Amino acid sequence: MKRETVGQTILAATILCIVCSIIVSTTAVVLRPIQKLNKIQEINKNILQVSGLFDKEKSFDDNMKTFEEKVEKKIIDFSTGQYVSDIDTNTYDQKKASKDPVQSEKVPGDQDLASIKRRENYSFVYLVKNSGDKVDQVILPVRGYGLWSTMYGFISLDYSNLKTIKGITFYEHGETPGLGGEIDNPNWKKQWSGKEAFGEDGTVSIEVVKGLVDPDSEKAKYEVDGLSGATITSRGVSDMLHYWLGENGFGPFLNNFRNGEKNNG
Ligand SMILES: Cc1cc2nc3c(=O)[nH]c(=O)nc-3n(C[C@H](O)[C@H](O)[C@H](O)COP(=O)(O)O)c2cc1C
């Protein structure tokens, strides 16, 4: 039997490596758009959940149809609080923008309540038409640091007063399951519905307290129970809302609405 030379063995190994790397890179390229779509659909599912439109009985595709029918995706400029029309809502990558020095700005330390370091110049907002043609909720993306991670989520406000919270949800975080990870607990999230985000004077007043909310307290309508053993995550949730609902976040946008510009949408 003819023995293979060392050169032939190296050649065979090299060819095998090249073929495998072509297969792996082709697979990665082919799958990238699918992964991107899955990520967007997962976010859309969270938006449906926070708005109360997600229907467990329906298929994923039917829920996505509901999203298309009932949720209008818009982009705003943080500095003016106005809608912009020259950015494509189908291609804008807000997470990427938040890390890009051209599309974001540094948040000064004394303003960085959410510990985000940079804030993108433009943000998605979602207008929800739950019943009929009238917008009844506005959903805002929020994020901020907990104990271990940046927590990404959405808060939904009642469109009629832009004060009352309809819901909150988190779709990405790295907090400890059973401790900070309880931000995903449906029973904890349920409490947010009906709470007031802003006080009478318009300042952001919503707070995750340490321990339980005293129902007899005057402040109860601005308070949510703390997560037991997870005060740092709880504080992170409060701080992120103070940042994003405040003047350096969606404050100007919400003020435009309050000042009667709803019809611009
Ligand atoms: C392994 C480990 C994981 C923890 N994960 C969290 C967490 O996700 N969020 C959090 O706020 N605290 C977490 N903690 C607890 C914090 O270190 C801190 O004790 C806690 O936030 C204080 O909350 P408390 O005052 O309600 O006890 C963790 C502690 C340990 C040892």
Side-chain angles (χ1 to χ4, degrees):
M1 200 175 90
K2 199 178 153 210
R3 286 192 61 183
E4 282 166 10
T5 64
V6 173
Q8 281 172 324
T9 307
I10 292 173
L11 182 66
T14 308
I15 291 171
L16 190 65
C17 286
I18 292 171
V19 170
C20 287
S21 58
I22 290 172
I23 292 172
V24 169
S25 50
T26 310
T27 310
V29 170
V30 170
L31 289 181
R32 198 169 299 143
I34 300 171
Q35 285 171 334
K36 224 172 165 180
L37 179 68
N38 284 347
K39 242 181 181 167
I40 292 170
Q41 289 189 328
E42 186 55 31
I43 288 177
N44 293 352
K45 180 180 159 188
N46 271 270
I47 291 166
L48 287 180
Q49 281 171 334
V50 78
S51 64
L53 282 171
F54 186 75
D55 187 343
K56 271 193 264 175
E57 305 297 317
K58 279 189 183 170
S59 69
F60 187 80
D61 286 350
D62 282 347
N63 273 300
M64 288 304 115
K65 246 183 239 162
T66 308
F67 183 89
E68 296 300 328
E69 285 165 16
K70 307 249 175 185
V71 183
E72 191 182 0
K73 232 169 149 179
K74 284 181 160 285
I75 295 181
I76 62 136
D77 180 339
F78 275 120
S79 61
T80 60
Q82 301 281 354
Y83 292 122
V84 291
S85 50
D86 54 346
I87 299 178
D88 185 352
T89 54
N90 293 314
T91 54
Y92 180 58
D93 186 337
Q94 190 168 345
K95 200 168 180 184
K96 206 164 157 192
S98 70
K99 292 174 186 147
D100 175 359
V102 179
Q103 297 186 75
S104 64
E105 58 184 43
K106 202 170 175 303
V107 181
D110 60 337
Q111 293 173 13
D112 195 7
L113 305 175
S115 303
I116 53 170
K117 296 195 174 71
R118 304 195 71 84
R119 195 215 61 205
E120 56 281 19
N121 300 330
Y122 301 100
S123 176
F124 281 112
V125 296
Y126 304 85
L127 304 179
V128 180
K129 292 169 187 161
N130 209 334
S131 41
D133 273 350
K134 250 182 71 206
V135 175
D136 44 31
Q137 294 178 51
V138 58
I139 296 179
L140 310 171
V142 291
R143 69 176 185 280
Y145 214 77
L147 175 60
W148 308 112
S149 65
T150 300
M151 304 174 281
Y152 291 84
F154 294 103
I155 185 158
S156 170
L157 297 177
D158 189 324
Y159 191 75
S160 66
N161 63 8
L162 297 168
K163 270 168 106 172
T164 310
I165 296 171
K166 302 282 266 188
I168 194 166
T169 192
F170 294 94
Y171 62 90
E172 190 182 324
H173 69 81
E175 302 302 283
T176 313
L179 293 170
E182 288 296 287
I183 53 173
D184 292 331
N185 187 324
N187 288 331
W188 184 72
K189 290 195 288 187
K190 229 184 259 167
Q191 283 182 71
W192 288 79
S193 177
K195 296 286 176 180
E196 300 291 320
F198 298 92
E200 294 305 322
D201 60 356
T203 56
V204 184
S205 301
I206 188 75
E207 212 69 62
V208 182
V209 298
K210 195 167 163 62
L212 301 178
V213 175
D214 171 3
D216 298 327
S217 157
E218 266 180 28
K219 291 196 293 182
K221 61 180 173 183
Y222 306 116
E223 293 179 341
V224 171
D225 292 348
L227 298 165
S228 168
T231 297
I232 300 169
T233 304
S234 303
R235 203 179 303 138
V237 173
S238 293
D239 290 345
M240 85 164 77
L241 295 179
H242 279 249
Y243 177 79
W244 289 105
L245 297 177
E247 58 182 341
N248 300 305
F250 292 101
F253 168 71
L254 295 171
N255 279 336
N256 289 343
F257 270 75
R258 289 191 190 102
N259 296 335
E261 294 182 25
K262 281 185 185 175
N263 293 335
N264 283 355

